[in-house]
Amino acid sequence: MESSLLAVLKSSQIAAGQTPSDLISMVRQLETVTLGAGSTVVTVGDAADAAYLLMSGMLEIRDGDGTLLDTEAPGALVGEQALMPGGSGTRSASIVAATDSTLLRIDTDTFQSLLARNRAALEATSEARTRNRLSKQARPLRALLDRGVQKIWEDGAVLFREGDASDGMHLVMGGQAEVAMTQGGELVHIATVYPGQVFGEIGVLQSVSRTASVVARNHLRTIFVAADEVRSLQAADPDLESFLKSLLRSRELPRLGIVHQNTVVKSGEVCIQTIFSLNDGRELVGLRTPGGHYTLVQTDATTAEIVKIAATNISLDRDGRIVGFDDNGDYEDINGLQILALEGTPLTRQQRRSLKKAAKATADLAPDAIICRCLNVERQVIQASIDQGATTITDIQEATGSGTGCGGCLRKIVPMLSGAPAPRPATPTLRPPRRANGNGLIGWLRGALGS
């Protein structure tokens, strides 16, 4: 092995506790990946199955909207965050080769072996990357990170209990925080808080006692910002309170799972992201922009068919399940579509027929829809002639030629002349979701909280 390559290894985060012979032996077992400039290493939202050690070249870490979060030089370990204990298991950012690059692919098993030997260094690397990402995503978070102090909690430790005084808020740097509250005398799991998210802000902002209990999992590490510090920052920055209020909202969806919301920056806009973590293992992510555009995507699904209803695209998998849609605010019952997507059962034949019928109806109403197929006349041409004074079929025939051939288009032209309102897209009949709630996590929380 070239001495320069060994020098890169020795300067990397995986070198601690490894002898040169250990490093050489490990490298010989790992896959080498060679990429050209502009090639993608991993994509945000993808499932994580490896980390990468950059041997030569340069990498760019980019957010989902393309925002540059960081650059990495040889010796950098990347893609490890999703593999860390408590990680979400999905990529939180995309990694792109800025120049021709060579990487070592570290599979999950090898990474876990490295983690067992060098946990402190790998955790520090992951936390630094989380801090950097948060500070670049939103200005209010930078001030909180600067004022906070690091806290480390072992698995099962109780950070605070429901009813305790609210002494501050936490930004999660690593591990997980399980949030639970008592409802009807029973402990109910409300949310799992992952790296990059926040908890404890409600009691601080509203000056009330803790509304839930929080238990540490997977070696939880947080940046803790005392309540007085938060209030001081609020006084200096009026936007901070509204930002924090929308940063994380968690609710239980009866029979379905857990939903939590946070703010994310996409294309320079602060958007609301809603993550549905369902009991059957599926995850759906919704994103609403300030302009009212809403998308929903099932993270592990493959789209087999897209049904377009006006400006709304509905994605179906090969079994006929709704696995996503995007809407600009015009669909009459977007909640109906979302319920079907969360339910996760294949659409009935009647439901699919309704979708197809609505799609066909709205396609016929598009401005560029062909009304007269004999002469290839679009709807917008006929409408323009009506706007210019045409009031009869004869007027339309003379102005556009429509209806002078087979005459099949006349039944579509007559409603246009009368000014009848366009029919709205139909929404399929819904069925109530049928899901059972598991109690594995609740049992763990009861044990941790001593209840």
Side-chain angles (χ1 to χ4, degrees):
M1 178 177 292
E2 296 180 2
S3 58
S4 58
L5 185 58
L6 191 56
V8 170
L9 286 169
K10 287 181 177 179
S11 67
S12 71
Q13 296 95 331
I14 68 172
Q18 307 265 1
T19 66
S21 60
D22 288 337
L23 292 173
I24 293 172
S25 176
M26 181 186 69
V27 168
R28 286 174 175 165
Q29 298 175 27
L30 297 178
E31 175 187 355
T32 300
V33 179
T34 302
L35 297 173
S39 300
T40 300
V41 183
V42 301
T43 302
V44 62
D46 285 352
D49 59 356
Y52 295 86
L53 181 66
L54 179 60
M55 305 304 295
S56 66
M58 181 171 288
L59 301 177
E60 293 180 345
I61 313 298
R62 294 190 172 274
D63 199 2
D65 63 355
T67 301
L68 180 64
L69 300 177
D70 211 346
T71 57
E72 299 289 359
L77 181 68
V78 297
E80 84 293 341
Q81 284 184 296
L83 302 181
M84 296 293 292
S88 64
T90 57
R91 303 297 187 187
S92 59
S94 295
I95 304 175
V96 180
T99 65
D100 292 348
S101 303
T102 302
L103 305 92
L104 288 180
R105 183 181 184 276
I106 305 174
D107 60 84
T108 303
D109 290 341
T110 302
F111 181 80
Q112 294 304 322
S113 176
L114 290 170
L115 184 64
R117 295 190 225 175
N118 195 18
R119 181 163 185 160
L122 292 176
E123 284 181 347
T125 298
S126 182
E127 289 169 26
R129 188 164 286 127
T130 298
R131 178 189 284 267
N132 183 62
R133 176 167 57 88
L134 290 176
S135 67
K136 290 188 176 181
Q137 281 181 329
R139 178 181 53 80
L141 286 181
R142 286 182 222 146
L144 291 170
L145 289 166
D146 290 342
R147 295 284 188 95
V149 296
Q150 187 181 54
K151 300 272 188 178
I152 300 176
W153 314 86
E154 293 306 320
D155 196 45
V158 180
L159 280 69
F160 51 77
R161 296 177 185 273
E162 191 174 348
D164 287 352
S166 297
D167 60 346
M169 57 176 287
H170 296 260
L171 293 91
V172 180
M173 296 289 107
Q176 295 173 342
E178 299 292 352
V179 184
M181 62 188 304
T182 304
Q183 296 180 355
E186 292 290 325
L187 194 66
V188 177
H189 174 240
I190 297 300
T192 300
V193 188
Y194 295 97
Q197 298 179 337
V198 170
F199 64 90
E201 81 284 0
I202 295 176
V204 173
L205 294 176
Q206 299 180 358
S207 298
V208 297
S209 300
R210 297 295 190 189
T211 58
S213 300
V214 174
V215 178
R217 291 192 81 180
N218 294 308
H219 197 223
L220 175 66
R221 284 93 64 206
T222 74
I223 297 296
F224 174 75
V225 188
D228 290 344
E229 292 282 6
V230 176
R231 296 187 183 106
S232 174
L233 290 170
Q234 280 181 262
D237 184 0
D239 294 333
L240 180 60
E241 181 174 0
S242 60
F243 179 86
L244 289 175
K245 282 183 177 178
S246 64
L247 190 63
L248 180 67
R249 302 185 184 96
S250 297
R251 298 288 187 272
E252 181 188 15
L253 295 177
R255 302 179 302 277
L256 282 175
I258 300 296
V259 57
H260 53 89
Q261 285 185 323
N262 60 292
T263 58
V264 295
V265 179
K266 299 291 184 182
S267 302
E269 294 184 310
V270 178
C271 306
I272 302 298
Q273 178 176 265
T274 307
I275 301 176
F276 300 91
S277 301
L278 305 180
N279 293 335
D280 61 8
R282 290 179 300 127
E283 178 185 78
L284 288 88
V285 179
L287 186 74
R288 175 166 291 280
T289 69
H293 185 249
Y294 182 72
T295 61
L296 183 75
V297 177
Q298 184 174 319
T299 55
D300 60 349
T302 299
T303 298
E305 179 183 8
I306 294 178
V307 178
K308 185 177 179 64
I309 301 180
T312 300
N313 293 321
I314 303 168
S315 300
L316 304 176
D317 67 10
R318 64 180 183 179
D319 295 321
R321 299 178 179 87
I322 294 179
V323 293
F325 56 78
D326 66 83
D327 174 68
N328 64 3
D330 292 337
Y331 197 86
E332 183 178 8
D333 186 13
I334 201 68
N335 181 249
L337 287 178
Q338 178 138 310
I339 289 174
L340 284 171
L342 295 178
E343 183 184 5
T345 55
L347 299 183
T348 65
R349 182 176 299 177
Q350 180 59 42
Q351 288 171 332
R352 296 187 73 171
R353 187 180 295 120
S354 296
L355 277 180
K356 297 290 182 64
K357 183 177 180 181
K360 184 177 185 303
T362 53
D364 287 344
L365 296 174
D368 59 353
I370 302 299
I371 298 298
C372 176
R373 297 192 176 278
C374 294
L375 299 181
N376 198 37
V377 181
E378 297 177 345
R379 172 177 289 276
Q380 56 195 356
V381 174
I382 297 172
Q383 186 60 54
S385 66
I386 294 174
D387 294 341
Q388 293 168 8
T391 58
T392 66
I393 291 293
T394 301
D395 292 339
I396 296 295
Q397 289 174 325
E398 292 177 353
T400 69
S402 302
T404 59
C406 73
C409 59
L410 296 178
R411 62 184 180 84
K412 296 180 181 179
I413 296 175
V414 170
M416 295 178 67
L417 284 168
S418 67
R424 298 188 67 86
T427 300
T429 303
L430 306 182
R431 292 177 297 170
R434 299 179 182 88
R435 295 276 182 256
N437 239 336
N439 60 5
L441 183 56
I442 295 300
W444 182 85
L445 284 167
R446 283 200 182 102
L449 293 170
S451 57

